[in-house]
Amino acid sequence: ITVTEDELQQEGDRLRFAKKLVKAADTWAWLKNHHLNLDEFEELVRNKVLSEKVAHHLFTDKVESFFYQNRLDFMAAATYQVTLDDYDLALELFYAIQEDELTFPEIAREYIPDLQLRRAGGYKGIQRRTDFRPEVAAAVFAATAPEIIKPIVTSKGVFLIWVEEIIQPELTEELREEIITDLFDVWLKQQIQQMEILTSFDSNIDKQASEDSLMQA
């Protein structure tokens, strides 16, 4: 696995664009701020490209099987949420919505203290199953959207959740890259742990050998 000069140039340009380093002076200022010289910057770019190529080499052919084996984890939901301290109040609001006496936005405006979240009506965005607490995920993904689900008691409070949409997972190119990166990160951590174990083992062997040598002396 090798890195070409064209690949280095492309990754360097991408990194500068991401950091908004439009002018040469901007780049030099960024390098100085991060205590890097030009050679170190080029080495950083080379390692980034090399890591991506190794990751693809090792895991591209494993993406589909991983995706289908863990398909449930990639399910997502668009939800609105209000967190309360009182279960009885949450239950009362739940039934009020079911009876069309209140709407979720009205409840959000009344009971959400955070200004931005209140303005958004309690919208939590699109989250994957793994982003939710287990007890919350079980209820959310059992819902028939759009639906208000019964209040859920957790250690963080009582959750009143409106499930707007359940989104079935699709293996897009973006998700492929994410899976490859995640698999590579796990693999890399395993390699580092194995190296640490071997280093510790070798160190113990050397220590024991030294002690044996002293005893013999």
Side-chain angles (χ1 to χ4, degrees):
I1 298 175
T2 59
V3 179
T4 68
E5 290 301 318
D6 285 344
E7 288 171 332
L8 286 177
Q9 183 66 47
Q10 290 174 7
E11 178 60 25
D13 291 343
R14 188 202 65 77
L15 180 58
R16 282 190 289 270
F17 179 79
K19 301 295 182 182
K20 299 180 180 178
L21 307 176
V22 180
K23 300 177 182 178
D26 297 332
T27 301
W28 286 114
W30 184 86
L31 290 174
K32 183 179 180 180
N33 187 51
H34 289 81
H35 308 289
L36 295 171
N37 59 39
L38 188 58
D39 289 339
E40 289 169 333
F41 176 75
E42 290 179 351
E43 186 64 21
L44 182 139
V45 172
R46 182 181 297 276
N47 288 339
K48 179 71 164 57
V49 175
L50 189 59
S51 294
E52 289 178 354
K53 295 184 81 169
V54 171
H56 278 263
H57 175 75
L58 292 173
F59 298 111
T60 293
D61 61 349
K62 296 178 173 60
V63 170
E64 289 194 12
S65 61
F66 181 86
F67 171 75
Y68 287 110
Q69 288 170 11
N70 299 275
R71 187 181 178 88
L72 288 179
D73 290 339
F74 293 107
M75 290 182 67
T79 62
Y80 293 77
Q81 178 181 306
V82 173
T83 305
L84 302 160
D85 296 324
D86 187 332
Y87 178 79
D88 290 337
L89 172 61
L91 196 60
E92 180 183 333
L93 295 173
F94 166 75
Y95 286 123
I97 291 175
Q98 285 198 323
E99 297 296 327
D100 292 327
E101 296 173 359
L102 284 173
T103 65
F104 200 92
E106 289 172 338
I107 293 172
R109 286 194 295 270
E110 178 71 22
Y111 293 99
I112 295 179
D114 180 84
L115 178 61
Q116 295 300 322
L117 188 59
R118 184 167 69 244
R119 285 174 174 170
Y123 183 59
K124 300 293 287 185
I126 296 175
Q127 297 173 291
R128 287 188 186 157
R129 189 183 192 97
T130 51
D131 295 326
F132 293 94
R133 301 171 65 88
E135 65 270 34
V136 176
V140 167
F141 290 96
T144 304
E147 180 182 7
I148 180 76
I149 57 179
K150 199 169 182 179
I152 306 166
V153 179
T154 76
S155 59
K156 299 294 184 180
V158 183
F159 291 173
L160 186 63
I161 299 175
W162 172 269
V163 182
E164 182 179 50
E165 183 182 2
I166 300 294
I167 303 166
Q168 297 300 323
E170 294 182 10
L171 188 54
T172 61
E173 284 304 312
E174 182 181 359
L175 183 54
R176 281 181 181 275
E177 292 298 320
E178 181 183 329
I179 291 173
I180 288 172
T181 299
D182 289 346
L183 290 175
F184 178 70
D185 287 345
V186 171
W187 174 84
L188 194 58
K189 289 177 183 177
Q190 291 172 344
Q191 304 309 305
I192 293 171
Q193 289 173 353
Q194 290 176 10
M195 288 178 64
E196 290 174 345
I197 291 170
L198 289 173
T199 300
S200 177
F201 178 76
D202 290 342
S203 177
N204 290 334
I205 292 294
D206 292 341
K207 181 179 179 182
Q208 186 63 49
S210 298
E211 291 175 353
D212 292 345
S213 177
L214 288 172
M215 291 292 291
Q216 291 172 2

